[in-house]
Amino acid sequence: MTIPWLTVLALLPAVGAVVLIFTGVKAAKQVALVISLITFAFALIVAAQFKIGSGMQLVEQVPWIKPLGAYYALGLDGLGLTLVLLVVIITPVVIIASWRDFDPTADADTGPAGAATIAPKYDARVFFALVLAVQSCALYLFLATDVFLFYVFFEVILVPMYFLIGGFGPGSRRTYAAAKFLIFGLLGGFVMLASVIGLYVQSSKAGQPSYLLGTLSQLDIATATGRWLFVGFMFAFAIKAPLVPLHTWLPDAAEESTTGGATMMVGVMDKIGTFGMIRFCLGLFPEASQWATPVVLVLATISILYGAILAIGSRDIMRFIAYTSISHFGFIVLGIFAFTSQSLTGSTLYMLNHGMATAALFVMAGYLIKRRGSRDMNAYGGVDRVAPVLAGLLLFAGLNTLSLPGLASFVSEFMVLAGTFGRHPTYAVISTLAIVLAALYILIMYQRTMTGPADPQVLEKVTDINGRERLAMAPLVLLIVALGVFPKPLLSIIEPTTQATMQHVGVTDPQPRVTAEGGR
């Protein structure tokens, strides 16, 4: 009997979430951590079976809703494997980092700018169950090879994320932020649904309704129809990514979330948007993707600069990290629609690196906030004197975010810019300005919080991080350094999928400009 490896992998966190509901409150975090580590180990077993360059692998395909042509279909390629690894790495980090958030003696997370903390609506069991539910939905989304199955989980993941924000956010505006998040998510889903229905109509005209990616990618869709269907998918993914001007839900949601909830949202869930652009927009509508490229590149460049500028002016640490993410998502989208193998490979790697970079920043910000009791950067100062390890790890996370050479983010950002320059030099040059802005906003954040005269409240409340808190950061630090120095293993996984995507879209890398000697 063949083991359905991908189904087991995706279902493990969901089963764990159900088990948690019947677990005692005190044991909830231990059970959640064990489930996340088992899922991580199983993902490594799946990754060990992956053969580089062999296309979609470990395929599972069973008829699901026959009248619609919908299948329960899962598969794994280089793009999916990269993001699966991201999910299984981030989840245990979130659980360990949130270990004492619900202890009676723990200092709870605080609202924006030091506002009074509001108690969670639910207990620890619900929080950790929701984290595992988000993980399970994300795994299904990155493994789905049926459009209808993908759409179902695209909508379902909104539910646990909504409750993570609205049920556990420490600020007074958490209900507003959760509702705004849900409205934007549902709006994107409803627009995508129109395109999903359109695909059913197109496949029915071809003789047999089907939502399988392999079948849909071979359909001969009229140019105008393909462009409309593309817009439906792209709109939904631009919200999820998020891309300016559809980004406004993210800063509010991050500001009103716990650090664990924000990490799952920005580090994991938001990758669905850029993943979908590659898998569905480029995979199903290659002509429309090229047609929309001028507009998308402009929006991506605006996002890069706009997010960086707003990050410079932010005082709330959580909102600050959200704005940096908007800028970095702009880089990912830029690399996707630059249509070079280097930029597309860089964007895929960027998704993994950004997830780890964001997790590191949120985790360290969370440690800082729990100690001081404020999210306002101006409420700090001199932390490096009383908590040098905390200050050092925050600086490390910041340097990775600004893409310091030798750390993971540098490799992917350089690949995106270099690849984009080969085909769209203007956009690449303008986007490079964000590198300077990134250095500025990271150094401003670090200066305000860690250096200068020590605030009396800092001297009184802030202590250095303990062994468990360092343990949560350890895998992120190791991976950021390892992938910064030696990214080849992951690049070798990603590149075959990139080449297949480029071939399907019908584009090739631009030829280098060579000036003949002697004027010839």
Side-chain angles (χ1 to χ4, degrees), residues 238-272:
I239 289 178
K240 196 79 83 182
L243 194 66
V244 172
L246 303 172
H247 68 288
T248 58
W249 63 270
L250 179 62
D252 289 329
E255 184 179 11
E256 298 296 328
S257 294
T258 61
T259 51
T263 303
M264 292 303 293
M265 177 177 64
V266 184
V268 173
M269 189 201 72
D270 285 357
K271 303 301 180 295
I272 297 164

Side-chain angles (χ1 to χ4, degrees), residues 475-512:
L476 297 177
V477 172
L478 292 174
L479 286 170
I480 287 169
V481 173
L483 290 176
V485 175
F486 189 58
K488 187 177 184 301
L490 264 179
L491 292 177
S492 63
I493 290 172
I494 297 169
E495 284 169 352
T497 303
T498 295
Q499 295 301 327
T501 303
M502 293 277 290
Q503 184 177 1
H504 180 73
V505 176
V507 294
T508 58
D509 288 329
Q511 294 298 315

